[in-house]
Amino acid sequence: MRIKAITGHQGIGTEVKDTIYVEAAGWGKYRWWRYVLGLMIILFAWMVAANVASALVALALGGQEGVAAFSQLDYAAFGPVWSFVIVMAGFPVFLAGILIAVTLIHQRHPRTLITAREKISWRRVGHGFVAGFVPWVLLGGLGQYLLYPDSFSFNSDLKTFALFVPIALVLTAIQTTTEELFFRGYIVQGASLIWSNRVFLAIVSAVIFTLPHATNPESQEGGLIGMFLGLFVGTGLLFAIVSLIDGTTELAIGAHFANNIAYFLLFNWSGSFFATPALFSISEYHARFYDITSLVLIPVFLVIVFRVFKRDEASEPISQSDRKSRAK
């Protein structure tokens, strides 16, 4: 499926069964300055308002001492569960910024960041989850245990783990969906107005995704090679390419959630930015193991999502009002 050129009246009065989500960049109000304004709103929500939200949660949990600990990035002072809540508290605000930009600035449905169809295919999101979760657990989790069993320790505090599970499920779903709507949705759509070439769109998305994640402890431990293979190629580039091929961000949303929830709940490195009360804690980060795993997981993931799971039939087309373009 190729990316069609986006024009001012693209899609009006035509069939959209083969329309991909990238083409929604030209729906609603889409002049370049609107994307710049929308990006400014999103970045303000992410970089400023989200931090305020996290600080308020820290204040509610620990008072002034909690705010001081938060300002020093001393999340250990809150314990594993509430430190996770504090860090994640900013993502609903980040998400709100995206929704404001799309609905108010571009005047189109937020669903168009995911699909050009009338409805989101939750079945396809599930396909992405399975394709991301099962190989990651088998290779990244059990594979690592077989090679480095001494670095694994079981979390005997099952009460804390039980408390953490529903919190992790809800907040991780918000976090990963928000990142997909931004990096694979808004960024790709905005860049498509400059050039609709798939390689260009995938690289732009992957670079912008990698930059804010480059300071994570995992990235620092893995060095430039680990950052390139794990973040740029294994996540940013892979999810962008999959979204462009599939024509939706549904697979990426499911896979991103699978990757993070497995890391938060099952196998968590004790030195990570998100140190959680997972079932198993890993005391040592084996960077080269993760590099090799990333390379192996890419073809496995692609085979599962495009060969094992069949694509859905096209649903009802987007309504005329959603597709109508007003270049203002």
Side-chain angles (χ1 to χ4, degrees):
M1 185 185 299
R2 66 186 180 87
I3 299 178
K4 303 174 184 177
I6 299 174
T7 61
H9 299 285
Q10 192 261 314
I12 298 178
T14 62
E15 292 294 325
V16 294
K17 289 184 178 180
D18 294 327
T19 302
I20 69 172
Y21 82 101
V22 178
E23 296 181 53
W27 298 354
K29 295 186 176 182
Y30 61 89
R31 291 286 286 271
W32 66 268
W33 65 266
R34 290 184 178 275
Y35 272 94
V36 173
L37 177 59
L39 185 60
M40 291 175 61
I41 291 173
I42 293 171
L43 291 179
F44 177 82
W46 179 18
M47 302 295 183
V48 180
N51 282 321
V52 172
S54 292
L56 289 175
V57 174
L59 176 64
L61 292 174
Q64 292 298 328
E65 293 181 357
V67 175
F70 170 75
S71 65
Q72 298 172 8
L73 302 181
D74 181 18
Y75 298 111
F78 300 96
V81 174
W82 300 120
S83 63
F84 183 83
V85 172
I86 290 171
V87 174
M88 289 293 204
F91 281 95
V93 180
F94 184 5
L95 176 60
I98 297 172
L99 299 180
I100 290 172
V102 176
T103 57
L104 298 184
I105 304 302
H106 300 289
Q107 297 187 12
R108 56 185 169 94
H109 200 286
R111 179 190 62 247
T112 56
L113 292 174
I114 301 174
T115 180
R117 298 178 179 182
E118 188 68 28
K119 298 178 181 179
I120 296 171
S121 173
W122 295 107
R123 180 169 174 266
R124 199 62 171 155
V125 174
H127 289 169
F129 177 85
V130 172
F133 186 83
V134 175
W136 195 96
V137 170
L138 293 177
L139 295 176
L142 296 181
Q144 184 176 192
Y145 176 76
L146 293 175
L147 292 175
Y148 311 102
D150 294 339
S151 64
F152 277 67
S153 60
F154 179 72
N155 177 17
S156 59
D157 189 358
L158 296 181
K159 183 177 180 180
T160 300
F161 176 75
L163 169 66
F164 179 64
V165 169
I167 294 174
L169 289 172
V170 173
L171 293 182
T172 302
I174 295 173
Q175 178 234 335
T176 55
T177 301
T178 299
E179 291 192 356
E180 289 307 313
L181 292 179
F182 180 62
F183 294 112
R184 257 67 69 179
Y186 197 81
I187 291 297
V188 169
Q189 287 181 343
S192 71
L193 297 181
I194 301 172
W195 190 17
S196 62
N197 179 273
R198 287 187 182 189
V199 175
F200 169 73
L201 297 179
I203 291 176
V204 168
S205 174
V207 169
I208 295 178
F209 173 81
T210 300
L211 290 176
H213 292 85
T215 57
N216 288 353
E218 296 89 339
S219 301
Q220 299 299 313
E221 287 288 327
L224 292 177
I225 295 176
M227 193 181 305
F228 177 76
L229 294 178
L231 281 176
F232 181 79
V233 177
T235 304
L237 199 61
L238 176 63
F239 288 173
I241 291 172
V242 165
S243 298
L244 292 168
I245 293 175
D246 194 58
T248 77
T249 56
E250 293 160 347
L251 290 172
I253 288 173
H256 198 163
F257 176 68
N259 180 81
N260 284 25
I261 203 64
Y263 188 66
F264 295 153
L265 290 181
L266 298 181
F267 310 103
N268 185 256
W269 175 46
S270 58
S272 70
F273 182 74
F274 285 100
T276 67
L279 274 180
F280 294 93
S281 177
I282 303 173
S283 60
E284 185 178 355
Y285 186 84
H286 304 282
R288 299 293 77 86
F289 171 82
Y290 282 111
D291 295 342
I292 296 172
T293 301
S294 297
L295 291 177
V296 174
L297 286 176
I298 291 173
V300 173
F301 177 77
L302 292 174
V303 167
I304 294 175
V305 294
F306 292 124
R307 295 297 182 183
V308 177
F309 293 126
K310 303 299 181 182
R311 296 187 61 193
D312 295 337
E313 293 297 326
S315 62
E316 292 298 318
I318 291 291
S319 64
Q320 190 83 318
S321 60
D322 272 352
R323 288 188 287 153
K324 188 175 181 181
S325 299
R326 292 170 289 177
K328 296 180 182 179

